[in-house]
Amino acid sequence: MRRLTTLFPSEFLEEHAEELGVVERDRKLQIPAFVWSFVFGFAAGERRTLAGFRRSYNSTADEPISPGGFYQRLTPSLVEYLRDLVERGLDEVAVPDAVGADIDRFKDVMIADGTVLRLHEFLSDEYEARHEEQAGAKLHLLHNATDQTIERLDVTDEKTHDSTLFKTGTWLENRLVLFDLAYFKYRRFALIDENGGSFVSRLKQNANPVITEELREWRGRAIPLEGKQLRAVLDDLDRRYIDVEVEVEFKRGPYEGTRSLDTKRFRVVGVRNEDADDYHLYVTNLSREEFFPADLAQIYRCRWEVELLFRELKTQYDLDEFDTSNEHVVKILLYAALLSLLVSRDLLDLVTEQADDELVFPPERWAATFRSHAQLILHDLGEHLGYSPPPLLERLIKDAQKIHKQRPILQETLATATQPRCES
């Protein structure tokens, strides 16, 4: 429990909540219990719901909170507060170790990626989707695989392209960035190179650059590639690797109202996929002297760790299930899921430290274990923080009773409807 309270000390939680106006000065709401209920407020096999978070709070805090009192706390101030906690956690907690290749020469290895979150259709004005009559948000991450941290997090509507959120600059010097196809743009690659950075990206299906030089010699009667367009020769090749220099054309950024054309030379590498009888093609500015084609394929596989991260958020923490038309509630649920992930990772680090060296803890198996024990952890944490919740029977009565006296429950409605009517 000390590990968790070090990550988010109660004094900090209370003071920052007061700064942002999340709680009043009389502190009727016990903010540490409130926060930890959002982190652990789910049980194995159940969806994360606001009612579930409230029940978790009532089972932890000294005094229960009514449904109305709970829902009125779901404000823009709470959104800002939870986002601040996520950013604090990102600075402290490691996320999956993604670096498998020998790339110590780089200051950092960065992975840019995003995932779509489907929202209630009533939010289509605030979160415009790619298809009509839908609403969608997108979570964008810039993951530092070297430090195992998330350096940047953005939430936009679905139509906002991932590419627009990646800014080039001097920060790229001596850093390697791994991109998926959503970020593919020759001008971006040129700017990374000109800022002293490196990149590896999959080559787009419609990209067909001209080969200017072969970077690997082949024995026998190899097909010459220089001067030919890449796609024109792929079907004729049977070699295990392709390693060539290509020239690409792109438009520079606007200057005095015009955009000039420019060219740049990059390296394109192909690694044969025997199952599909084709090549995985990558474009990069990494040199052949330092990185062979197989090395680039291994480096690029680091991106899979971020895909696993998104899958864990969606499968274990219900990041893709927002059954609400309230924009603030969507963001609260989003940041609550991210907080759960960060706390889960922090506890995984603790478990790894305490366990025998030969034991391995796969992230997804750990996530399922964490989820199934969340309520037990919350109970122990509440005791550690000195809370004395009401007796269990009292909490059961408060949570199970009908809330609105004027609203008949289903059984009452059916009973009334099936009663014989008196003859007039």
Side-chain angles (χ1 to χ4, degrees):
M1 297 303 109
R2 189 178 299 111
R3 181 77 169 230
L4 298 178
T5 53
T6 300
L7 178 62
F8 295 117
S10 294
E11 185 177 0
F12 163 76
L13 294 176
E14 292 169 346
E15 289 178 353
H16 194 52
E18 196 167 300
E19 288 173 8
L20 297 180
V22 176
V23 293
E24 301 86 355
R25 291 190 177 275
D26 59 10
R27 297 190 178 181
K28 291 181 179 179
L29 183 73
Q30 293 177 302
I31 198 66
F34 191 63
V35 170
W36 291 119
S37 295
F38 276 105
V39 174
F40 297 106
F42 53 87
E46 292 187 8
R47 292 179 57 187
R48 297 157 64 93
T49 64
L50 295 177
F53 291 139
R54 185 183 71 85
R55 286 192 292 268
S56 294
Y57 175 85
N58 286 347
S59 68
T60 306
D62 292 336
E63 293 292 335
I65 187 172
S66 67
F70 181 82
Y71 295 130
Q72 73 179 13
R73 309 285 181 173
L74 308 180
T75 63
S77 296
L78 180 60
V79 173
E80 181 182 358
Y81 178 71
L82 293 180
R83 181 184 173 94
D84 288 349
L85 296 188
V86 169
E87 291 182 349
R88 176 188 173 96
L90 292 177
D91 292 335
E92 302 292 335
V93 179
V95 291
D97 184 1
V99 182
D102 183 14
I103 44 182
D104 293 338
R105 56 154 290 192
F106 299 106
K107 180 180 178 180
D108 294 300
V109 178
M110 314 296 293
I111 305 173
D113 208 350
T115 189
V116 173
L117 313 174
R118 190 59 54 214
L119 306 181
H120 196 287
E121 61 182 15
F122 287 170
L123 289 172
S124 58
D125 289 340
E126 294 85 356
Y127 291 98
E128 192 175 0
R130 293 186 179 277
H131 302 286
E132 294 183 2
E133 300 181 356
Q134 286 188 354
K138 186 174 283 188
L139 173 64
H140 309 262
L141 297 181
L142 183 61
H143 173 38
N144 186 325
T146 302
D147 293 341
Q148 301 181 47
T149 58
I150 296 174
E151 296 217 351
R152 184 179 176 87
L153 179 152
D154 293 286
V155 181
T156 67
D157 62 16
E158 185 184 349
K159 293 194 74 173
T160 299
H161 202 281
D162 305 72
S163 185
T164 61
L165 295 177
F166 186 89
K167 306 300 181 183
T168 53
T170 56
W171 70 272
L172 287 160
E173 185 175 1
N174 202 28
R175 286 184 164 93
L176 171 64
V177 188
L178 308 181
F179 293 111
D180 76 352
L181 293 176
Y183 297 84
F184 189 95
K185 188 176 289 186
Y186 288 136
R187 182 164 68 94
R188 171 172 296 109
F189 300 156
L191 290 172
I192 292 173
D193 186 67
E194 291 159 8
N195 277 285
S198 303
F199 69 91
V200 180
S201 169
R202 288 292 295 270
L203 189 72
K204 265 193 173 181
Q205 187 68 32
N206 61 355
N208 195 17
V210 175
I211 299 171
T212 57
E213 182 184 355
E214 290 196 66
L215 302 178
R216 177 171 179 160
E217 293 184 2
W218 295 91
R219 297 178 182 176
R221 300 174 61 184
I223 299 173
L225 304 181
E226 291 183 16
K228 297 179 180 179
Q229 288 189 296
L230 179 67
R231 301 288 177 184
V233 298
L234 284 181
D235 291 341
D236 298 326
L237 298 179
D238 195 34
R239 58 189 68 171
R240 184 176 181 184
Y241 299 114
I242 300 171
D243 200 350
V244 297
E245 181 187 76
V246 301
E247 185 172 83
V248 302
E249 186 178 76
F250 61 94
K251 288 184 178 180
R252 288 287 181 179
Y255 180 72
E256 295 185 350
T258 62
R259 301 183 64 185
S260 60
L261 285 175
D262 202 351
T263 59
K264 193 87 173 177
R265 292 192 176 188
F266 296 124
R267 181 184 175 199
V268 168
V269 166
V271 179
R272 191 162 190 82
N273 179 5
E274 298 295 345
D275 293 335
D277 193 27
D278 62 3
Y279 289 93
H280 291 304
L281 295 171
Y282 307 93
V283 58
T284 183
N285 63 342
L286 296 177
S287 69
R288 171 171 171 72
E289 288 73 26
E290 293 181 276
F291 297 95
F292 294 122
D295 296 329
L296 292 178
Q298 182 183 2
I299 290 170
Y300 193 78
R301 278 197 292 270
C302 295
R303 286 199 64 264
W304 179 240
E305 296 293 343
V306 177
E307 298 294 339
L308 292 177
L309 190 68
F310 285 140
R311 187 167 76 181
E312 182 178 330
L313 281 166
K314 290 184 176 183
T315 59
Q316 298 296 333
Y317 306 117
D318 294 336
L319 190 63
D320 205 23
E321 297 185 15
F322 297 99
D323 190 19
T324 175
S325 58
N326 186 308
E327 181 181 359
H328 305 316
V329 172
V330 167
K331 292 180 179 179
I332 288 168
L333 293 173
L334 168 63
Y335 294 131
L338 290 170
L339 282 172
S340 296
L341 173 70
L342 291 170
V343 169
S344 169
R345 293 296 176 193
D346 201 35
L347 291 180
L348 176 57
D349 286 344
L350 177 62
V351 168
T352 304
E353 290 170 8
Q354 299 297 319
D356 295 336
D357 292 340
E358 65 273 11
L359 295 180
V360 177
F361 302 95
E364 290 196 52
R365 184 176 179 86
W366 165 257
T369 303
F370 171 79
R371 182 183 179 98
S372 65
H373 290 79
Q375 290 291 311
L376 294 175
I377 298 172
L378 180 61
H379 179 267
D380 287 353
L381 182 58
E383 289 188 346
H384 178 78
L385 293 172
Y387 293 124
S388 301
L392 177 59
L393 181 59
E394 181 180 334
R395 282 185 278 129
L396 291 174
I397 293 172
K398 284 184 176 294
D399 279 342
Q401 64 181 286
K402 186 172 66 175
I403 299 172
H404 302 286
K405 292 184 178 180
Q406 73 277 14
R407 183 185 299 168
I409 61 176
L410 179 61
Q411 290 90 334
E412 293 174 349
T413 305
L414 288 174
T416 303
T418 55
Q419 285 179 353
R421 298 192 177 188
C422 297
E423 295 183 3
S424 53

